[in-house]
Coordinates of all heavy atoms in Angstrom, one line a residue:
M1 N 88.2 111.7 165.3 CA 88.3 112.2 163.9 C 88.8 111.0 163.1 O 89.6 110.2 163.5 CB 89.5 113.3 163.9 CG 89.6 114.0 162.6 SD 90.8 115.2 162.5 CE 90.0 116.6 163.1
N2 N 88.3 110.9 161.8 CA 88.7 109.9 161.0 C 89.9 110.1 160.2 O 90.4 111.3 160.2 CB 87.6 109.6 160.0 CG 87.2 110.6 159.1 OD1 88.0 111.2 158.5 ND2 85.8 110.8 158.9
I3 N 90.5 109.0 159.6 CA 91.8 109.2 159.1 C 91.9 110.2 157.9 O 92.9 111.0 157.7 CB 92.4 107.8 158.6 CG1 93.8 107.9 158.1 CG2 91.6 107.2 157.6 CD1 94.9 108.4 159.3
F4 N 90.8 110.2 157.1 CA 90.7 111.1 155.9 C 90.7 112.5 156.5 O 91.3 113.5 156.0 CB 89.5 110.9 155.1 CG 89.6 109.7 154.1 CD1 90.8 108.9 154.1 CD2 88.5 109.4 153.4 CE1 90.8 107.8 153.2 CE2 88.5 108.3 152.5 CZ 89.7 107.6 152.4
A5 N 89.9 112.8 157.5 CA 89.8 114.2 158.1 C 91.2 114.6 158.7 O 91.5 115.7 158.6 CB 88.7 114.3 159.2
E6 N 91.9 113.7 159.4 CA 93.1 114.0 159.9 C 94.2 114.4 158.7 O 94.9 115.3 158.9 CB 93.7 112.8 160.7 CG 93.0 112.5 162.0 CD 93.4 111.3 162.7 OE1 94.6 110.9 162.5 OE2 92.7 110.7 163.5
L7 N 94.2 113.5 157.7 CA 95.1 113.8 156.6 C 94.7 115.2 155.9 O 95.6 115.9 155.6 CB 95.1 112.8 155.6 CG 95.7 111.4 156.0 CD1 95.4 110.3 155.0 CD2 97.3 111.6 156.1
A8 N 93.4 115.4 155.8 CA 93.0 116.6 155.1 C 93.5 117.9 155.9 O 93.9 118.8 155.4 CB 91.5 116.6 155.0
A9 N 93.2 117.7 157.3 CA 93.7 118.8 158.1 C 95.3 119.1 158.0 O 95.7 120.2 157.9 CB 93.4 118.6 159.5
E10 N 96.0 118.0 157.9 CA 97.5 118.1 157.9 C 97.9 118.7 156.5 O 98.8 119.6 156.4 CB 98.1 116.7 158.1 CG 99.6 116.7 158.0 CD 100.2 115.4 158.3 OE1 99.4 114.4 158.9 OE2 101.4 115.3 158.0
I11 N 97.2 118.2 155.4 CA 97.5 118.9 154.1 C 97.0 120.2 154.1 O 98.0 121.0 153.4 CB 96.5 118.1 153.0 CG1 97.1 116.6 152.8 CG2 96.6 118.7 151.6 CD1 96.2 115.6 152.2
R12 N 96.0 120.8 154.5 CA 95.6 122.1 154.5 C 96.6 123.0 155.4 O 96.9 124.1 155.0 CB 94.1 122.3 155.1 CG 93.2 121.6 154.1 CD 91.7 121.4 154.6 NE 91.2 122.6 155.3 CZ 90.9 123.8 154.6 NH1 90.9 123.9 153.4 NH2 90.4 124.8 155.3
E13 N 97.1 122.4 156.5 CA 98.2 123.1 157.3 C 99.4 123.4 156.6 O 99.9 124.4 156.4 CB 98.4 122.4 158.7 CG 99.3 123.1 159.5 CD 98.9 124.6 159.8 OE1 97.7 124.9 159.8 OE2 99.8 125.5 160.0
I14 N 99.8 122.3 155.8 CA 101.0 122.4 155.0 C 100.8 123.4 154.0 O 101.8 124.1 153.7 CB 101.3 121.0 154.4 CG1 101.9 120.0 155.4 CG2 102.4 121.0 153.3 CD1 101.9 118.5 155.0
N15 N 99.6 123.4 153.3 CA 99.4 124.4 152.3 C 99.4 125.8 152.9 O 100.0 126.8 152.2 CB 98.1 124.1 151.7 CG 98.1 122.9 150.8 OD1 99.2 122.4 150.5 ND2 97.0 122.3 150.3
R16 N 98.8 125.9 154.0 CA 98.9 127.2 154.7 C 100.3 127.7 155.0 O 100.6 128.9 154.7 CB 98.0 127.2 156.0 CG 96.7 128.0 155.9 CD 96.1 128.1 157.3 NE 95.6 126.7 157.8 CZ 94.4 126.4 157.4 NH1 93.7 126.9 156.5 NH2 94.0 125.1 157.9
V17 N 101.1 126.9 155.6 CA 102.4 127.2 155.8 C 103.1 127.6 154.5 O 104.1 128.4 154.6 CB 103.1 126.0 156.6 CG1 104.7 126.2 156.7 CG2 102.5 125.9 157.9
N18 N 102.9 126.9 153.5 CA 103.5 127.2 152.2 C 103.0 128.5 151.5 O 103.5 128.8 150.4 CB 103.4 126.0 151.3 CG 104.4 124.8 151.7 OD1 105.5 125.1 152.1 ND2 103.9 123.6 151.5
G19 N 102.1 129.1 152.2 CA 101.5 130.3 151.7 C 100.4 130.1 150.6 O 100.0 131.2 150.1
W20 N 99.8 129.1 150.5 CA 98.7 128.8 149.6 C 97.4 129.2 150.2 O 97.2 128.9 151.5 CB 98.7 127.4 149.1 CG 100.0 127.0 148.5 CD1 101.0 127.8 147.9 CD2 100.5 125.7 148.1 NE1 102.1 127.1 147.3 CE2 101.8 125.8 147.4 CE3 99.9 124.4 148.3 CZ2 102.5 124.7 147.0 CZ3 100.7 123.4 148.0 CH2 101.9 123.4 147.3
R21 N 96.5 129.7 149.5 CA 95.2 130.0 150.1 C 94.4 128.6 150.0 O 94.2 128.1 148.9 CB 94.5 131.1 149.2 CG 93.2 131.6 149.9 CD 92.6 132.7 149.0 NE 92.1 132.4 147.7 CZ 90.9 131.8 147.6 NH1 90.1 131.5 148.6 NH2 90.5 131.5 146.3
V22 N 93.8 128.2 151.1 CA 93.2 127.0 151.1 C 91.6 127.2 150.9 O 91.1 128.2 151.2 CB 93.3 126.2 152.5 CG1 94.8 125.9 152.5 CG2 92.9 127.0 153.6
L23 N 91.0 126.1 150.2 CA 89.6 126.2 150.0 C 88.8 126.3 151.3 O 89.1 125.6 152.3 CB 89.2 124.9 149.2 CG 87.8 124.9 148.8 CD1 87.5 125.9 147.7 CD2 87.7 123.4 148.1
Q24 N 87.7 127.1 151.3 CA 86.9 127.1 152.5 C 85.4 126.7 152.0 O 85.2 126.8 150.8 CB 86.7 128.6 152.8 CG 88.2 129.2 153.4 CD 88.8 128.5 154.7 OE1 88.0 128.2 155.5 NE2 90.0 128.4 154.5
P25 N 84.6 126.2 153.1 CA 83.3 125.6 152.7 C 82.4 126.7 151.9 O 81.7 126.4 151.0 CB 82.7 125.4 154.1 CG 83.9 125.1 154.9 CD 85.0 126.0 154.4
E26 N 82.5 128.0 152.3 CA 81.8 129.1 151.6 C 82.1 129.3 150.0 O 81.4 129.9 149.4 CB 81.8 130.4 152.4 CG 83.1 131.0 152.6 CD 83.9 130.5 153.8 OE1 83.5 129.5 154.4 OE2 84.9 131.2 154.0
E27 N 83.2 128.7 149.7 CA 83.6 128.8 148.3 C 83.1 127.8 147.4 O 83.4 127.8 146.2 CB 85.2 128.7 148.2 CG 85.8 129.9 148.9 CD 87.4 129.9 148.9 OE1 87.9 128.9 149.5 OE2 88.0 130.7 148.3
W28 N 82.1 126.9 147.9 CA 81.4 126.0 147.0 C 80.8 126.6 145.9 O 80.7 126.1 144.9 CB 80.5 125.3 148.0 CG 79.5 124.4 147.2 CD1 78.2 124.7 146.8 CD2 79.9 123.2 146.4 NE1 77.7 123.6 146.0 CE2 78.7 122.7 145.6 CE3 81.1 122.4 146.1 CZ2 78.6 121.6 144.9 CZ3 81.0 121.4 145.4 CH2 79.8 120.9 144.8
T29 N 80.3 127.9 146.1 CA 79.6 128.5 145.0 C 80.5 129.4 144.1 O 80.1 129.9 143.1 CB 78.5 129.5 145.5 OG1 79.1 130.5 146.4 CG2 77.4 128.7 146.3
D30 N 81.8 129.4 144.4 CA 82.8 130.2 143.7 C 83.0 129.4 142.3 O 83.4 128.3 142.2 CB 84.0 130.1 144.4 CG 85.1 131.2 143.7 OD1 85.3 131.1 142.6 OD2 85.9 131.7 144.5
H31 N 82.7 130.1 141.3 CA 82.8 129.5 139.9 C 84.3 129.3 139.4 O 84.5 128.9 138.3 CB 81.9 130.2 138.8 CG 80.5 130.1 139.1 ND1 79.8 129.1 138.9 CD2 79.7 131.1 139.8 CE1 78.4 129.2 139.3 NE2 78.4 130.4 139.8
Y32 N 85.2 129.8 140.3 CA 86.6 129.6 139.9 C 87.3 128.5 140.8 O 88.0 127.7 140.2 CB 87.4 131.0 140.0 CG 88.8 130.7 140.0 CD1 89.6 130.5 138.8 CD2 89.6 130.8 141.2 CE1 90.8 130.3 138.8 CE2 91.0 130.6 141.1 CZ 91.6 130.4 140.0 OH 93.0 130.1 139.9
K33 N 87.2 128.7 142.2 CA 87.9 127.9 143.0 C 87.8 126.4 142.9 O 88.7 125.7 142.8 CB 87.6 128.5 144.5 CG 88.7 127.8 145.5 CD 90.1 128.1 145.4 CE 90.9 127.7 146.4 NZ 92.3 127.8 146.2
V34 N 86.4 125.9 143.0 CA 86.3 124.5 143.0 C 86.7 124.0 141.6 O 87.4 123.0 141.6 CB 84.6 124.2 143.3 CG1 84.4 122.7 143.0 CG2 84.5 124.5 144.7
P35 N 86.4 124.6 140.4 CA 86.7 124.0 139.1 C 88.3 124.0 139.1 O 88.8 123.2 138.6 CB 86.1 125.1 138.1 CG 84.8 125.5 138.8 CD 85.2 125.6 140.3
A36 N 88.9 125.0 139.7 CA 90.5 125.0 139.7 C 91.0 123.8 140.4 O 91.9 123.1 140.2 CB 91.0 126.2 140.3
M37 N 90.3 123.5 141.6 CA 90.8 122.4 142.4 C 90.4 121.0 141.5 O 91.4 120.1 141.6 CB 89.8 122.2 143.7 CG 90.2 123.4 144.7 SD 91.8 123.3 145.4 CE 91.7 121.9 146.5
L38 N 89.3 120.9 140.9 CA 89.2 119.8 140.0 C 90.1 119.6 139.0 O 90.5 118.5 138.6 CB 87.7 119.8 139.5 CG 86.5 119.6 140.6 CD1 85.2 119.9 139.9 CD2 86.7 118.3 141.3
A39 N 90.5 120.7 138.4 CA 91.6 120.8 137.3 C 92.9 120.2 137.9 O 93.6 119.5 137.2 CB 91.7 122.1 136.7
L40 N 93.2 120.6 139.1 CA 94.4 120.1 139.6 C 94.4 118.5 139.9 O 95.3 117.9 139.7 CB 94.7 120.8 141.0 CG 95.2 122.3 141.0 CD1 95.1 122.9 142.2 CD2 96.5 122.4 140.3
I41 N 93.2 118.1 140.3 CA 93.0 116.7 140.4 C 93.2 116.0 139.2 O 94.0 115.0 139.0 CB 91.7 116.3 141.1 CG1 91.6 116.8 142.5 CG2 91.3 114.9 141.0 CD1 90.2 116.9 143.1
H42 N 92.6 116.6 138.2 CA 92.7 116.0 136.7 C 94.1 116.0 136.3 O 94.5 115.1 135.6 CB 91.8 116.8 135.7 CG 91.7 116.2 134.4 ND1 92.6 116.6 133.5 CD2 90.9 115.5 133.9 CE1 92.4 116.1 132.4 NE2 91.3 115.2 132.6
S43 N 94.8 117.0 136.6 CA 96.2 117.1 136.2 C 97.1 115.9 136.8 O 97.9 115.4 136.2 CB 96.7 118.5 136.7 OG 98.2 118.5 136.5
E44 N 96.8 115.6 138.1 CA 97.5 114.6 138.7 C 97.1 113.2 138.1 O 97.9 112.3 138.0 CB 97.2 114.6 140.3 CG 97.7 115.8 141.0 CD 99.1 116.1 141.0 OE1 99.9 115.3 140.5 OE2 99.5 117.3 141.4
V45 N 95.8 113.1 137.8 CA 95.4 111.9 137.1 C 96.2 111.7 135.7 O 96.6 110.6 135.4 CB 93.9 111.8 136.9 CG1 93.4 110.6 136.0 CG2 93.1 111.8 138.2
S46 N 96.2 112.8 135.0 CA 97.0 112.7 133.7 C 98.4 112.4 133.9 O 99.0 111.6 133.1 CB 96.9 114.2 133.0 OG 95.5 114.4 132.7
E47 N 99.1 112.9 135.0 CA 100.5 112.6 135.4 C 100.6 111.1 135.6 O 101.5 110.4 135.3 CB 101.0 113.5 136.4 CG 101.1 114.9 136.0 CD 101.6 115.9 137.1 OE1 101.8 115.4 138.2 OE2 101.5 117.0 136.8
A48 N 99.6 110.5 136.3 CA 99.6 109.1 136.7 C 99.5 108.3 135.4 O 100.2 107.2 135.3 CB 98.4 108.7 137.7
L49 N 98.6 108.6 134.5 CA 98.5 107.9 133.2 C 99.8 108.0 132.5 O 100.3 106.9 131.8 CB 97.3 108.7 132.4 CG 97.1 108.1 131.0 CD1 96.8 106.6 131.0 CD2 96.0 108.7 130.3
E50 N 100.5 109.1 132.5 CA 101.7 109.3 131.7 C 102.8 108.4 132.4 O 103.5 107.7 131.6 CB 102.2 110.6 131.7 CG 103.3 110.9 130.8 CD 103.1 110.7 129.3 OE1 102.0 110.8 128.9 OE2 104.1 110.4 128.6
A51 N 102.7 108.3 133.7 CA 103.7 107.4 134.3 C 103.5 105.9 134.0 O 104.3 105.2 133.8 CB 103.7 107.6 135.9
F52 N 102.2 105.5 133.9 CA 101.8 104.2 133.5 C 102.2 103.9 132.2 O 102.9 102.8 131.9 CB 100.4 104.0 133.7 CG 99.8 102.7 133.1 CD1 99.8 101.5 133.8 CD2 99.3 102.7 131.8 CE1 99.5 100.4 133.4 CE2 98.8 101.4 131.3 CZ 98.9 100.3 132.1
R53 N 102.0 104.8 131.3 CA 102.5 104.6 129.8 C 103.9 104.4 129.7 O 104.5 103.8 128.9 CB 102.0 105.8 129.0 CG 100.5 105.7 128.8 CD 100.1 107.1 127.9 NE 98.7 106.9 127.6 CZ 97.9 108.0 127.2 NH1 98.5 109.2 127.1 NH2 96.6 107.9 127.0
K54 N 104.7 105.1 130.6 CA 106.2 105.0 130.6 C 106.7 103.8 131.4 O 107.9 103.6 131.6 CB 106.9 106.3 131.1 CG 106.7 107.4 130.2 CD 107.3 108.7 130.8 CE 107.1 109.9 129.8 NZ 107.6 111.1 130.3
N55 N 105.7 103.0 131.9 CA 106.0 101.9 132.8 C 106.9 102.3 134.1 O 107.8 101.5 134.4 CB 106.6 100.8 132.0 CG 106.6 99.4 132.7 OD1 105.8 99.2 133.5 ND2 107.6 98.6 132.6
D56 N 106.6 103.5 134.7 CA 107.2 104.0 135.7 C 106.6 103.8 137.0 O 105.8 104.7 137.4 CB 107.5 105.5 135.5 CG 108.5 106.2 136.5 OD1 108.6 105.6 137.6 OD2 109.0 107.3 136.2
L57 N 106.7 102.6 137.5 CA 105.8 102.3 138.7 C 106.1 103.2 139.9 O 105.1 103.6 140.6 CB 106.2 100.9 139.1 CG 105.4 100.2 140.2 CD1 103.9 100.1 139.7 CD2 105.9 98.8 140.5
K58 N 107.3 103.6 140.2 CA 107.5 104.5 141.3 C 106.8 105.9 141.2 O 106.2 106.4 142.0 CB 109.0 104.7 141.5 CG 109.4 105.5 142.8 CD 109.0 104.9 144.0 CE 109.4 105.7 145.1 NZ 108.7 105.4 146.4
N59 N 106.9 106.4 140.0 CA 106.3 107.7 139.5 C 104.7 107.5 139.7 O 104.0 108.4 140.1 CB 106.8 108.3 138.3 CG 106.1 109.7 138.1 OD1 105.5 109.9 137.2 ND2 106.6 110.7 139.0
F60 N 104.3 106.4 139.1 CA 102.8 106.1 139.2 C 102.3 106.1 140.6 O 101.3 106.7 140.9 CB 102.6 104.8 138.6 CG 101.2 104.5 138.5 CD1 100.3 105.0 137.5 CD2 100.5 103.5 139.2 CE1 98.9 104.8 137.4 CE2 99.3 103.1 139.2 CZ 98.4 103.8 138.2
E61 N 103.1 105.5 141.5 CA 102.6 105.5 143.0 C 102.6 106.8 143.5 O 101.6 107.2 144.1 CB 103.7 104.5 143.7 CG 103.3 104.5 145.2 CD 104.4 103.7 145.9 OE1 105.6 103.7 145.5 OE2 103.9 103.0 146.8
E62 N 103.6 107.7 143.2 CA 103.6 109.1 143.6 C 102.5 109.8 143.1 O 101.9 110.6 143.8 CB 105.0 109.7 143.2 CG 105.3 111.0 143.8 CD 106.5 111.7 143.4 OE1 107.6 110.9 143.4 OE2 106.7 112.8 142.9
E63 N 102.1 109.7 141.8 CA 101.0 110.4 141.3 C 99.7 110.0 141.9 O 98.8 110.8 142.1 CB 101.0 110.3 139.7 CG 102.3 110.8 139.0 CD 102.5 112.4 139.4 OE1 101.6 113.1 139.8 OE2 103.6 112.8 139.3
L64 N 99.6 108.7 142.3 CA 98.3 108.3 142.9 C 98.2 108.9 144.3 O 97.1 109.4 144.7 CB 98.4 106.7 143.1 CG 98.0 105.9 141.8 CD1 98.1 104.5 142.2 CD2 96.8 106.3 141.2
A65 N 99.5 109.2 144.9 CA 99.4 109.8 146.3 C 99.0 111.3 146.1 O 98.3 111.8 146.9 CB 100.6 109.7 146.9
D66 N 99.5 111.9 145.0 CA 99.2 113.2 144.6 C 97.7 113.5 144.5 O 97.0 114.3 144.9 CB 99.9 113.8 143.4 CG 101.3 114.1 143.7 OD1 101.8 114.3 144.8 OD2 102.1 114.1 142.7
I67 N 97.0 112.4 143.8 CA 95.6 112.5 143.6 C 94.9 112.5 144.9 O 93.9 113.3 145.1 CB 95.2 111.3 142.7 CG1 95.8 111.4 141.2 CG2 93.6 111.2 142.6 CD1 95.6 110.1 140.5
I68 N 95.3 111.6 145.8 CA 94.7 111.5 147.1 C 94.8 112.7 147.9 O 93.8 113.3 148.5 CB 95.1 110.2 147.8 CG1 94.7 109.0 147.1 CG2 94.6 110.4 149.4 CD1 95.4 107.7 147.6
I69 N 96.0 113.3 147.9 CA 96.3 114.6 148.4 C 95.3 115.7 147.9 O 94.7 116.5 148.7 CB 97.7 115.0 148.3 CG1 98.6 114.1 149.1 CG2 98.0 116.5 148.7 CD1 100.1 114.2 148.9
R70 N 95.2 115.8 146.7 CA 94.4 116.9 146.1 C 92.9 116.6 146.4 O 92.2 117.6 146.7 CB 94.6 116.9 144.6 CG 96.0 117.3 144.1 CD 96.1 118.8 144.2 NE 97.3 119.2 143.5 CZ 97.9 120.4 143.7 NH1 97.3 121.3 144.3 NH2 99.0 120.7 143.0
V71 N 92.5 115.5 146.4 CA 91.1 115.1 146.7 C 90.7 115.5 148.2 O 89.8 116.1 148.5 CB 90.7 113.6 146.3 CG1 89.4 113.3 147.0 CG2 90.8 113.4 144.8
L72 N 91.6 115.1 149.1 CA 91.5 115.3 150.4 C 91.5 116.9 150.7 O 90.8 117.3 151.6 CB 92.6 114.5 151.3 CG 92.3 113.1 151.4 CD1 93.5 112.5 152.1 CD2 91.0 112.7 151.9
D73 N 92.5 117.5 150.0 CA 92.5 119.0 150.1 C 91.2 119.6 149.8 O 90.7 120.4 150.6 CB 93.6 119.5 149.2 CG 93.8 121.0 149.4 OD1 93.6 121.5 150.5 OD2 94.4 121.6 148.4
C74 N 90.6 119.3 148.7 CA 89.3 119.7 148.2 C 88.2 119.3 149.1 O 87.4 120.2 149.6 CB 89.0 119.3 146.8 SG 87.5 120.0 146.1
G75 N 88.1 118.1 149.4 CA 86.9 117.7 150.3 C 87.1 118.2 151.7 O 86.1 118.6 152.3
G76 N 88.2 118.3 152.2 CA 88.4 118.8 153.5 C 88.2 120.3 153.6 O 87.5 120.8 154.5
G77 N 88.5 121.0 152.5 CA 88.2 122.4 152.4 C 86.8 122.8 152.4 O 86.4 123.8 153.0
L78 N 86.0 121.9 151.8 CA 84.6 122.0 151.8 C 83.8 121.5 153.0 O 82.7 121.6 153.1 CB 84.1 121.4 150.4 CG 84.5 122.1 149.1 CD1 84.1 121.3 148.0 CD2 84.0 123.5 149.0
G79 N 84.6 120.8 153.9 CA 84.0 120.3 155.0 C 83.4 119.0 154.9 O 82.5 118.7 155.8
F80 N 83.7 118.3 153.9 CA 83.0 117.0 153.6 C 83.6 116.0 154.5 O 84.8 115.9 154.8 CB 83.2 116.6 152.2 CG 82.5 117.5 151.2 CD1 83.0 117.4 149.8 CD2 81.6 118.3 151.5 CE1 82.4 118.2 148.7 CE2 81.0 119.1 150.5 CZ 81.4 119.1 149.2
D81 N 82.8 115.0 154.9 CA 83.3 113.7 155.6 C 83.6 112.7 154.5 O 82.6 111.9 154.3 CB 82.2 113.3 156.6 CG 82.6 112.1 157.3 OD1 83.8 111.5 157.0 OD2 81.9 111.6 158.3
L82 N 84.7 112.7 153.9 CA 84.9 111.8 152.8 C 85.0 110.4 153.2 O 84.7 109.5 152.4 CB 86.2 112.2 152.0 CG 86.2 113.6 151.2 CD1 87.5 113.8 150.6 CD2 85.1 113.4 150.1
E83 N 85.6 110.1 154.4 CA 85.6 108.7 154.9 C 84.2 108.0 155.0 O 84.0 107.0 154.4 CB 86.4 108.5 156.2 CG 86.4 107.1 156.7 CD 87.2 106.9 157.9 OE1 88.1 107.9 158.2 OE2 87.0 105.9 158.5
T84 N 83.3 108.8 155.5 CA 81.9 108.3 155.5 C 81.3 108.2 154.1 O 80.7 107.2 153.8 CB 80.9 109.2 156.5 OG1 81.5 109.2 157.7 CG2 79.6 108.6 156.4
A85 N 81.6 109.2 153.2 CA 81.1 109.1 151.9 C 81.6 107.9 151.2 O 80.9 107.2 150.4 CB 81.4 110.4 151.2
V86 N 83.0 107.6 151.3 CA 83.5 106.5 150.8 C 82.8 105.1 151.3 O 82.5 104.3 150.5 CB 85.1 106.4 150.9 CG1 85.6 105.1 150.5 CG2 85.7 107.6 150.1
R87 N 82.8 105.1 152.5 CA 82.1 103.8 153.0 C 80.6 103.7 152.6 O 80.3 102.5 152.3 CB 82.1 103.9 154.6 CG 83.6 103.8 155.2 CD 83.6 103.7 156.6 NE 85.0 103.7 157.1 CZ 85.8 102.7 157.1 NH1 85.5 101.5 156.5 NH2 87.1 102.8 157.5
V88 N 79.9 104.7 152.5 CA 78.4 104.6 152.0 C 78.6 104.2 150.6 O 77.7 103.4 150.2 CB 77.8 105.9 152.2 CG1 76.4 106.0 151.5 CG2 77.5 106.2 153.8
K89 N 79.4 104.8 149.8 CA 79.5 104.5 148.4 C 80.0 103.0 148.2 O 79.4 102.2 147.2 CB 80.4 105.4 147.7 CG 80.6 105.3 146.2 CD 79.2 105.7 145.6 CE 79.4 105.6 144.0 NZ 78.1 106.2 143.4
M90 N 80.9 102.5 149.1 CA 81.3 101.1 148.9 C 80.1 100.2 149.2 O 80.0 99.1 148.6 CB 82.4 100.9 149.8 CG 83.7 101.4 149.3 SD 85.0 101.5 150.5 CE 85.3 99.6 150.8
E91 N 79.2 100.6 150.1 CA 78.1 99.7 150.5 C 77.1 99.6 149.3 O 76.3 98.6 149.3 CB 77.4 100.2 151.8 CG 78.3 100.0 153.0 CD 77.5 100.7 154.3 OE1 76.4 101.0 154.2 OE2 78.3 100.7 155.2
K92 N 77.1 100.6 148.6 CA 76.1 100.7 147.4 C 76.6 99.5 146.4 O 75.8 99.0 145.7 CB 76.0 101.9 146.7 CG 75.3 103.0 147.6 CD 75.2 104.3 146.7 CE 74.4 105.3 147.4 NZ 74.3 106.6 146.6

């Protein structure tokens, strides 16, 4: 298993334990769930921008981590192999 898949599985398990409904591959066509996940990612990016504007390096780092967590949660929930996708994209 690759590191992104391992982290995604751990994130999803934490979410389940916390009582959150996790994204499933069949929800790709759901006109609510995937856009909601993207909105959460966007929210974290906005928080990172705000930390940058305030010159708050520690919070900026935390928000970048939140972005990665949200992306891995989404990609893992949809069954994507994000590590391979990132490597292929980097080769381009």
Side-chain angles (χ1 to χ4, degrees):
M1 184 180 279
N2 64 47
I3 188 67
F4 284 0
E6 289 176 23
L7 287 171
E10 187 175 342
I11 290 163
R12 292 168 50 71
E13 182 56 27
I14 289 168
N15 289 346
R16 254 191 285 281
V17 167
N18 286 324
W20 301 343
R21 191 175 70 79
V22 298
L23 184 64
Q24 300 296 320
E26 59 272 11
E27 293 178 298
W28 169 249
T29 57
D30 186 321
H31 292 287
Y32 166 76
K33 188 64 177 174
V34 173
M37 295 290 289
L38 293 173
L40 289 170
I41 293 166
H42 183 271
S43 173
E44 299 299 349
V45 172
S46 295
E47 290 173 6
L49 177 58
E50 190 62 25
F52 174 80
R53 287 179 174 158
K54 291 180 178 178
N55 198 30
D56 185 346
L57 187 61
K58 182 65 178 160
N59 187 242
F60 182 73
E61 178 182 37
E62 184 177 315
E63 296 305 334
L64 289 180
D66 286 344
I67 294 164
I68 293 168
I69 288 167
R70 295 284 190 188
V71 169
L72 290 175
D73 184 25
C74 183
L78 294 171
F80 294 163
D81 179 355
L82 290 178
E83 183 173 336
T84 298
V86 168
R87 293 186 186 283
V88 167
K89 188 67 176 185
M90 288 171 59
E91 288 177 10
K92 285 185 179 182

